[in-house]
Amino acid sequence: MTVRIPFDNLSFSVLTEDIDVSSFRCGEPDLTEFLIEDALENQAARLSVTRLVSYEGQIVGFFTLTNDCIIRKGISDDDGEEWYPYPHYPALKIARLATHQEFEGRGVGRAMLLKTVAIAMRLSQYVGCRMITVDSKPKSEGFYLKYGFQRALMKKKKDTIPLYRDFYRSYQEAERRMSPPLSVFDGGGRREP
C-alpha cells in the first residue's frame, strides 16, 4: 500500500540556479528534460515560473505556470459570468506538472494542484484571473478530471486535451458551504498594497 505524504510535510520553492535538479526523473522524459534543460531559461525570460516540491530534502515534483486565456465559447454555460461581455476569460495555465516516478500515487500531484489554486486565488487579488487551464496528455486527463477540471468545448489539440477549471466558481460554492467561510483564510478578498 502506498502511503500518502501529508501536504504539511511538503515544501514548495521557486526554481533557482542554486538548486540541483539533475536527479529528477518522472514517467515523461520530455517533462524531465524541460526541468533540467529549459525551466531556468524560460523563467529568466519571464515566460514561465517553475516551482519545486520537496519532501525530506528530495525533489518529488515540479509544476510550471504561465499566463493564459480561454475563449468564452470554450467553457460550459455553468462557468464564468453570464454578464461578462468579453470573448476570453483570463487564466493561469499549468504549463508542466510532474511527480518524481518514485513518489507517484502519494498525493504530490494533488498538493501541486492545491498550491496552483492558492496561487491563482492570490493572483486574482492583483489582476483578473478566473480560470486555470491545462493542455493534458491523454493519460493524465483522468487525474485532472478527478480534481474538478473539465474538457474545454473546443477542438482537441494534436496530442493534448484542453481542460479548464473555473476556480472562482468552486471557491464561491465552498464559501457557501463552509463554516467558517474560506474568506477568513484568504483575507476576505482584501487586496494587499
Side-chain angles (χ1 to χ4, degrees):
M1 184 170 98
T2 305
V3 178
R4 291 206 173 277
I5 301 170
F7 184 86
D8 292 343
N9 291 4
L10 297 170
S11 63
F12 296 82
S13 60
V14 173
L15 176 65
T16 66
E17 58 189 26
D18 301 331
I19 301 172
D20 180 12
V21 295
S22 63
S23 64
F24 183 85
R25 296 290 178 271
C26 70
E28 291 286 336
D30 60 322
L31 292 175
T32 298
E33 182 180 314
F34 171 81
L35 176 63
I36 294 170
E37 297 180 15
D38 301 323
L40 270 175
E41 184 178 340
N42 284 6
Q43 198 162 279
R46 300 291 191 251
L47 299 172
S48 62
V49 173
T50 297
R51 285 179 172 73
L52 305 174
V53 184
S54 299
Y55 174 66
E56 296 182 346
Q58 182 177 352
I59 298 170
V60 297
F62 80 92
F63 60 105
T64 302
L65 303 176
T66 190
N67 288 312
D68 197 14
C69 67
I70 185 167
I71 190 164
R72 183 183 180 143
K73 294 177 184 175
I75 66 168
S76 164
D77 290 341
D78 295 335
D79 291 318
E81 298 293 344
E82 189 176 306
W83 51 262
Y84 185 70
Y86 302 104
H88 293 87
Y89 278 98
L92 179 65
K93 184 181 198 92
I94 301 171
R96 309 272 189 310
L97 186 143
T99 300
H100 192 291
Q101 58 194 11
E102 294 175 16
F103 291 86
E104 289 179 2
R106 297 191 58 193
V108 176
R110 177 182 178 275
M112 290 188 282
L113 286 182
L114 286 171
K115 189 68 168 179
T116 299
V117 170
I119 290 167
M121 287 300 296
R122 175 63 66 111
L123 178 64
S124 72
Q125 292 178 344
Y126 295 95
V127 298
C129 183
R130 178 65 183 248
M131 308 287 171
I132 298 173
T133 61
V134 63
D135 292 331
S136 174
K137 293 186 181 291
K139 71 180 192 176
S140 300
E141 180 184 19
F143 167 76
Y144 290 105
L145 294 176
K146 182 168 82 171
Y147 292 109
F149 284 79
Q150 50 190 315
R151 279 186 176 222
L153 307 172
M154 55 184 60
K155 285 185 185 178
K156 180 180 172 185
K157 296 187 179 181
K158 184 178 175 186
D159 57 352
T160 61
I161 301 162
L163 303 172
Y164 77 96
R165 180 175 176 190
D166 183 344
F167 71 87
Y168 187 66
R169 172 86 57 220
S170 302
Y171 175 86
Q172 288 174 314
E173 291 168 4
E175 180 82 0
R176 283 190 291 272
R177 291 190 314 263
M178 300 206 45
S179 179
L182 288 173
S183 56
V184 169
F185 302 103
D186 79 356
R190 288 190 325 251
R191 299 183 194 276
E192 295 177 11

